[in-house]
Amino acid sequence: NAGVTQTPKFQVLKTGQSMTLQCAQDMNHEYMSWYRQDPGMGLRLIHYSVGAGITDQGEVPNGYNVSRSTTEDFPLRLLSAAPSQTSVYFCASSYRQGQGTSGSSPQFFGPGTRLTVL
Amino acid sequence: KNEVEQSPQNLTAQEGEFITINCSYSVGISALHWLQQHPGGGIVSLFMLSSGKKKHGRLIATINIQEKHSSLHITASHPRDSAVYICAVKGTSGSRLTFGEGTQLTVNP
């Protein structure tokens, strides 16, 4: 059981380049999400998905695309990288929120991808 | 004003001390999460609670729904507890979490 895996761990891009950050989980979680973490700010939600074929925008979606063709995978695409996208990116998964008495379930995070855009 | 505020932002303690980290939120919630981010960057879920108190080892989390406040306590702190502790809340509808900025804890030997 690998949990949540992310690749790559580090990436340097030039402005205007595109790339895909990969995220996979083997826990059959319905809910997956992408966050970015910047100094002095909390984790901010970029995009999320509540199941295969369903995605939605989070707090800071501009410049990013996602798709969810399978339950396991949730890639994040940077269309045309900008220096403002320099950040650490985390993928997370959980059982679909709303189950259980609390309406929530523990989040499992990937190890993160440190992205620098020059 | 952020929906989730943590205090203090930074905390330095001596080994063995009792630690308290606070989280206040301004919206109705269905659950509150406490997370730990290790110096290497990995994030681990510590607690998820919607009422009362939970305990795991030396860690205790409490929540007061009426006061919109939660605390994370660490008893007999140890240098390996040094990490960033993050509070996050889930609103009463939808699936999204809103995160606090985190509290950097350093425990010195």
Side-chain angles (χ1 to χ4, degrees):
Chain A
N1 198 336
V4 181
T5 58
Q6 284 183 240
T7 56
K9 289 189 177 178
F10 301 93
Q11 183 71 49
V12 179
L13 292 177
K14 294 182 180 178
T15 296
Q17 287 184 314
S18 62
M19 79 159 294
T20 299
L21 278 63
Q22 301 292 344
C23 174
Q25 52 89 14
D26 60 359
M27 296 172 280
N28 204 30
H29 285 164
E30 301 95 337
Y31 185 81
M32 296 185 74
S33 51
W34 276 103
Y35 298 95
R36 59 178 289 171
Q37 186 177 43
D38 301 295
M41 307 185 79
L43 289 158
R44 292 185 292 168
L45 182 65
I46 304 171
H47 285 284
Y48 67 98
S49 168
V50 297
I54 306 169
T55 63
D56 206 347
Q57 296 182 348
E59 185 182 352
V60 288
N62 292 340
Y64 308 94
N65 271 357
V66 291
S67 60
R68 184 95 180 269
S69 56
T70 66
T71 299
E72 294 78 20
D73 300 297
F74 190 44
L76 178 73
R77 280 181 284 276
L78 279 69
L79 309 172
S80 177
S84 61
Q85 293 178 305
T86 293
S87 187
V88 181
Y89 291 84
F90 288 95
C91 178
S93 74
S94 69
Y95 289 111
R96 184 167 180 168
Q97 313 277 15
Q99 294 177 346
T101 56
S102 69
S104 190
S105 64
Q107 300 273 308
F108 291 81
F109 285 82
T113 295
R114 188 173 293 274
L115 176 68
T116 302
V117 183
L118 303 175
Chain B
K1 188 180 190 298
N2 292 335
E3 289 185 354
V4 181
E5 295 202 341
Q6 291 185 232
S7 63
Q9 285 189 320
N10 294 281
L11 181 56
T12 300
Q14 289 300 121
E15 184 172 357
E17 286 185 4
F18 181 83
I19 304 287
T20 296
I21 298 171
N22 296 299
C23 176
S24 296
Y25 52 92
S26 57
V27 297
I29 69 168
S30 60
L32 183 143
H33 296 249
W34 281 103
L35 309 167
Q36 180 192 53
Q37 186 168 24
H38 300 294
I43 301 174
V44 176
S45 179
L46 297 175
F47 294 104
M48 183 187 69
L49 63 166
S50 55
S51 64
K53 173 180 172 178
K54 286 191 175 180
K55 184 176 189 291
H56 181 70
R58 295 180 295 107
L59 301 178
I60 303 167
T62 64
I63 188 168
N64 185 318
I65 295 293
Q66 287 73 29
E67 295 186 2
K68 292 187 167 59
H69 181 268
S70 175
S71 293
L72 177 68
H73 305 286
I74 305 175
T75 62
S77 60
H78 190 275
R80 65 174 175 266
D81 297 325
S82 297
V84 176
Y85 292 85
I86 302 169
C87 171
V89 299
K90 178 184 175 295
T92 52
S93 63
S95 307
R96 295 159 57 163
L97 295 180
T98 302
F99 293 81
E101 292 182 20
T103 295
Q104 173 70 63
L105 172 65
T106 303
V107 181
N108 294 318

